[in-house]
Amino acid sequence: MRLLFVHDRFGALAGAEVNLQLTAAALKIRGHETALLHGPPTGKAESEWRNLFEQRFALTNGNGLSTTRLAFKKFQPDAVYIHKMADADVLEMLADSGVPVVRMVHDHDLYCMRSYKYSPLTRRICTRPAGLHCLFPCGAMLARNGKGGFNWVSYRARKREIALNQRFARMIVATEFMRCELLRNGFNANRIEIHAPVPRGNENALTASFSDRNLIIYSGQVIRGKGVDVLLDALAQVRAPFECLIFGDGNHRARCEALSRRLGLEGRVQFKGYVPPRELERFYEQASLSVVSSVWPEPFGATGLEAMRHGLPVVAFDAGGIREWLFDGQNGFLVPWMDRAQFAKRIDELLQNKTLARQFGERGRQLLRDKFNFEQYIDGLEEMFSRLTREPAECEHIANGHAHA
């Protein structure tokens, strides 16, 4: 099978890029041919992407249609797999291509003009579909661009993007929570499938040490929706001695570093920036627990599963799809949204009761083995693409049979 991946970036950055890279690599190992239609570079792990995708087609300003045509002419895909792409002209050409198009919905960008699905003022999670109410009082005409500034967002363009995505053969989501978001925005239930983007790792990864170091790991972007500032407020209330390493970057990092200093956490909290997944392994092995402080409705939260792979318990806010893999009192603690005091209490409980922390961690590892297995995830995607590429031929066969009857 020839699969054309489509993404608005080239190189590592966050969870969407990790998933795209791992998925393409796994499908390539299974004998499928892959190519990439992509946006601008991220400056991270680009050599790995070049090695993975021998055929690459770069989208630059104004060349979207011609580059997409070139990709189809040279690669001749059997199916298209979009990860993130907002260029309506490119999306329309893909929808009109005559090959099955599948979209992986990694986040809320498609139907939320501000991308984060919560109020920028109150941080209250939004439960409404995209509509004119997004403009006021949310002020969604201006959205952060990830570089410390803002981009103009067109309501009409966003509605067009939704309409184009509704034409695709399948929409892939990680959780039932995300499926409900698509249904709320008018997508066909028969075209939505759940395939949780399980992070690939060493299934026999070393179990965390749970040492007296009391190491806490946060891994993820340092942007407002990820709630690192709220995590710092909670850490300031933790009684037990601890160290916390924050892995990741983003436009909220400077503010969070300043807040950490104001809270007197300098000696206990370190901001480590972006660290490649392989390098993160050794930190997980030294840890006692992992935290997921997202206050936006997290579509999935795969970083929590990565911690569970090492037998770590997870403490997280109950936001979005996290409750579909974190079960309170079983493999960690699911804390009421934005409850800093409870978050701190749960961290204290696990740091002071290592026996409980180990029990939670082992249950988490078992959950990964039973439900969130990378090979099973790839099996599901492979079967779906195979099914979709057969459907046109089967429909034509049925139609020809009716014509001869």
Side-chain angles (χ1 to χ4, degrees):
M1 197 182 323
R2 300 170 67 83
L3 296 172
L4 176 63
F5 284 72
V6 179
H7 192 52
D8 62 2
R9 299 185 182 97
F10 182 82
L13 185 66
E17 289 73 32
V18 170
N19 174 251
L20 186 157
Q21 183 177 348
L22 292 177
T23 301
L27 290 171
K28 192 173 180 179
I29 289 172
R30 295 188 179 199
H32 303 288
E33 296 182 59
T34 61
L36 180 66
L37 178 66
H38 64 87
T42 66
K44 298 174 181 176
E46 291 177 29
S47 61
E48 295 180 20
W49 285 50
R50 282 190 286 271
N51 292 335
L52 177 59
F53 296 103
E54 295 179 6
Q55 294 195 57
R56 303 179 300 277
F57 306 90
L59 296 164
T60 57
N61 290 337
N63 82 338
L65 296 182
S66 59
T67 302
T68 305
R69 290 192 190 99
L70 179 64
F72 269 77
K73 181 179 179 180
K74 294 190 68 174
F75 185 63
Q76 298 182 358
D78 297 310
V80 173
Y81 193 15
I82 301 173
H83 281 253
K84 295 185 73 172
M85 177 56 58
D87 187 318
D89 292 334
V90 171
L91 294 176
E92 186 166 23
M93 180 173 287
L94 295 174
D96 291 337
S97 67
V99 304
V101 178
V102 175
R103 166 74 186 267
M104 177 70 181
V105 185
H106 289 279
D107 49 38
H108 305 296
D109 286 1
L110 176 59
Y111 46 77
C112 176
M113 293 176 67
R114 292 190 64 92
S115 303
Y116 305 128
K117 201 62 179 163
Y118 70 59
S119 165
L121 300 176
T122 66
R123 282 179 153 178
R124 288 287 177 190
I125 292 174
C126 174
T127 58
R128 297 187 291 184
L132 289 173
H133 53 260
C134 297
L135 304 181
F136 302 99
C138 189
M141 291 178 290
L142 289 175
R144 290 191 178 275
N145 59 18
K147 301 175 183 178
F150 292 86
N151 286 337
W152 176 262
V153 180
S154 165
Y155 173 74
R156 181 175 295 181
R158 187 55 54 87
K159 293 297 285 187
R160 182 187 176 199
E161 184 184 350
I162 291 173
L164 288 169
N165 276 259
Q166 288 171 340
R167 294 176 55 191
F168 296 157
R170 288 295 184 277
M171 301 294 286
I172 303 303
V173 293
T175 55
E176 180 63 29
F177 164 74
M178 289 296 286
R179 179 178 178 273
C180 291
E181 288 293 333
L182 289 185
L183 292 175
R184 181 180 285 136
N185 281 277
F187 283 81
N188 186 334
N190 295 326
R191 295 187 181 186
I192 304 172
E193 293 190 21
I194 298 176
H195 296 275
V198 182
R200 181 165 202 165
N202 180 4
E203 300 302 326
N204 298 311
L206 292 176
T207 303
S209 65
F210 296 92
S211 72
D212 291 338
R213 182 182 178 186
N214 283 355
L215 180 61
I216 301 168
I217 299 291
Y218 168 91
S219 176
Q221 289 182 281
V222 187
I223 57 178
R224 194 163 180 260
K226 294 293 186 177
V228 175
D229 57 333
V230 183
L231 169 63
L232 294 170
D233 287 338
L235 289 175
Q237 301 178 50
V238 172
R239 299 176 183 176
F242 71 87
E243 293 178 57
C244 179
L245 300 182
I246 295 178
F247 296 99
D249 247 319
N251 56 29
H252 212 221
R253 177 173 172 175
R255 292 186 182 185
C256 289
E257 287 178 326
L259 175 61
S260 180
R261 290 191 292 271
R262 288 199 302 273
L263 292 171
L265 294 170
E266 278 184 285
R268 292 178 287 173
V269 175
Q270 296 182 51
F271 289 79
K272 308 292 284 186
Y274 171 78
V275 172
R278 292 188 191 91
E279 194 175 325
L280 268 177
E281 293 280 315
R282 63 187 180 92
F283 292 103
Y284 280 122
E285 290 165 9
Q286 299 168 23
S288 291
L289 66 94
S290 177
V291 288
V292 180
S293 56
S294 297
V295 295
W296 75 318
E298 191 72 57
F300 184 51
T303 181
L305 275 71
E306 187 57 39
M308 284 158 50
R309 191 185 311 283
H310 293 272
L312 284 171
V314 179
V315 178
F317 288 121
D318 187 1
I322 291 176
R323 59 169 44 234
E324 296 184 40
W325 56 261
L326 181 56
F327 303 100
D328 189 50
Q330 297 183 41
N331 57 335
F333 289 119
L334 195 63
V335 177
W337 182 78
M338 292 283 274
D339 190 335
R340 297 161 172 82
Q342 185 72 358
F343 206 95
K345 180 181 178 181
R346 292 309 194 184
I347 290 175
D348 259 323
E349 187 171 348
L350 291 172
L351 292 180
Q352 294 174 17
N353 188 342
K354 296 296 176 67
T355 299
L356 179 66
R358 289 179 184 276
Q359 289 173 349
F360 281 3
E362 184 49 46
R363 288 175 195 158
R365 288 189 104 171
Q366 187 62 48
L367 178 66
L368 285 181
R369 289 190 285 265
D370 294 346
K371 185 177 180 181
F372 295 107
N373 178 285
F374 183 78
E375 292 304 319
Q376 291 175 359
Y377 165 65
I378 297 299
D379 287 345
L381 289 180
E382 190 176 39
E383 187 279 330
M384 177 201 64
F385 278 114
S386 178
R387 175 169 21 99
L388 291 176
T389 54
R390 288 196 311 265
E391 282 179 1
E394 291 173 355
C395 290
E396 182 178 347
H397 175 75
I398 293 171
N400 290 337
H402 288 163
H404 293 300

